[in-house]
Amino acid sequence: MEARMTSPANPDVITAIQHLYKAIHAGGVDKRLLSLVHLRTSQINGCSPCIFASIESAQKAGETDERLHNVVAWRETPFYADEERAALALTEAATRLQDGAPGVTDEIWDAAADHFSEEQLGAIILEVAMTNFFNRINRTVREQAGKTW
């Protein structure tokens, strides 16, 4: 598969994205958890460059290979704390909005709200949204994992 574009973003877009990421990281959520959110969103969307980037970022933040390899099946493994499970459930529900999926139910929201402040929830939601944003761009232009970043 060949990439369709060499550089799809202009400098104004890059600046706006940097401000959004600054807001996400100011939200008080552990970087490892944000990496897991990014990874799970990208797995759902089949975005190889974002999967690559999230694993690299998570490893730099101290995440273990065991947890990274199992996030795709987080419900069936013992490797995640209750707050991480709540964040991953929110991630999946917010990402899978197509074809009549229920989206974020009250049960999913309440579980996340039990573990995170509003500021933290805002950061997690923005991380999911930004990841979906990049997943769609990367899938459209056929960006390759590990080639540009």
Side-chain angles (χ1 to χ4, degrees), residues 49-84:
C50 285
I51 291 169
F52 180 89
S54 59
I55 289 172
E56 195 172 69
S57 173
Q59 288 172 329
K60 286 179 184 174
E63 191 55 82
T64 66
D65 287 341
E66 181 177 60
R67 286 167 42 94
L68 290 170
H69 290 299
N70 286 284
V71 74
V72 70
W74 62 269
R75 286 179 179 85
E76 291 82 29
T77 64
F79 308 127
Y80 307 96
D82 289 342
E83 75 175 22
E84 293 167 326

Side-chain angles (χ1 to χ4, degrees), residues 20-30 34 37 90 116-131:
L20 289 169
Y21 275 118
K22 184 177 179 182
I24 291 168
H25 291 290
V29 179
D30 184 274
L34 290 175
V37 166
L90 179 62
F116 300 101
S117 68
E118 283 197 11
E119 185 178 24
Q120 291 172 317
L121 285 169
I124 292 168
I125 293 165
L126 190 53
E127 178 68 28
V128 171
M130 289 297 297
T131 304

